[in-house]
Amino acid sequence: MQKLNTTLVYILSIAGFICCCWLGGLSVIPAAIAFFIANKELTKYEANPAEYANGPAMKTAKTVALVILILSALNFIYTIYGLATTPWEEVIAGYEEGFKSSGVEF
């Protein structure tokens, strides 16, 4: 029996979740890749379930990837909304203040 690659899906999902905290909308990329890989692997499993040993584990991995994709998409929308509704001078001033408080001079 063959095994589906659940590890890659979990790693990309967790990377998307971690990026969600720091990189705003960029977390959508690894989460979407994880979801599409899981979807492709489940299609192979559903075509021939007797050939693969860990179909239920891939279903769980797909669910995790979907939840993180939704959270990442919501964070992306929130980031775009924040940038669109806040005056650009305030955004830049916030970044400058953050850099100065961390000791970075520019």
Side-chain angles (χ1 to χ4, degrees):
M1 294 188 103
Q2 297 177 355
K3 288 194 172 191
L4 300 170
N5 194 1
T6 58
T7 306
L8 179 62
V9 175
Y10 281 126
I11 289 172
L12 287 171
S13 297
I14 291 170
F17 184 70
I18 291 171
C19 291
C20 191
C21 299
W22 292 291
L23 298 176
L26 293 179
S27 61
V28 172
I29 296 168
I33 292 170
F35 181 73
F36 290 128
I37 290 172
N39 210 17
K40 185 184 78 164
E41 294 286 313
L42 275 176
T43 304
K44 288 193 315 190
Y45 171 73
E46 290 171 356
N48 194 359
E51 191 175 321
Y52 298 100
N54 59 344
M58 184 54 79
K59 288 180 183 180
T60 304
K62 180 182 175 184
T63 303
V64 169
L66 179 63
V67 167
I68 293 175
L69 180 61
I70 290 170
L71 289 174
S72 298
L74 289 174
N75 188 18
F76 179 70
I77 292 168
Y78 178 73
T79 302
I80 296 299
Y81 175 76
L83 288 173
T85 59
T86 306
W88 190 247
E89 293 79 22
E90 288 182 28
V91 173
I92 296 299
Y95 278 114
E96 287 176 355
E97 182 180 321
F99 281 131
K100 287 179 184 176
S101 68
S102 66
V104 176
E105 296 292 328
F106 56 102

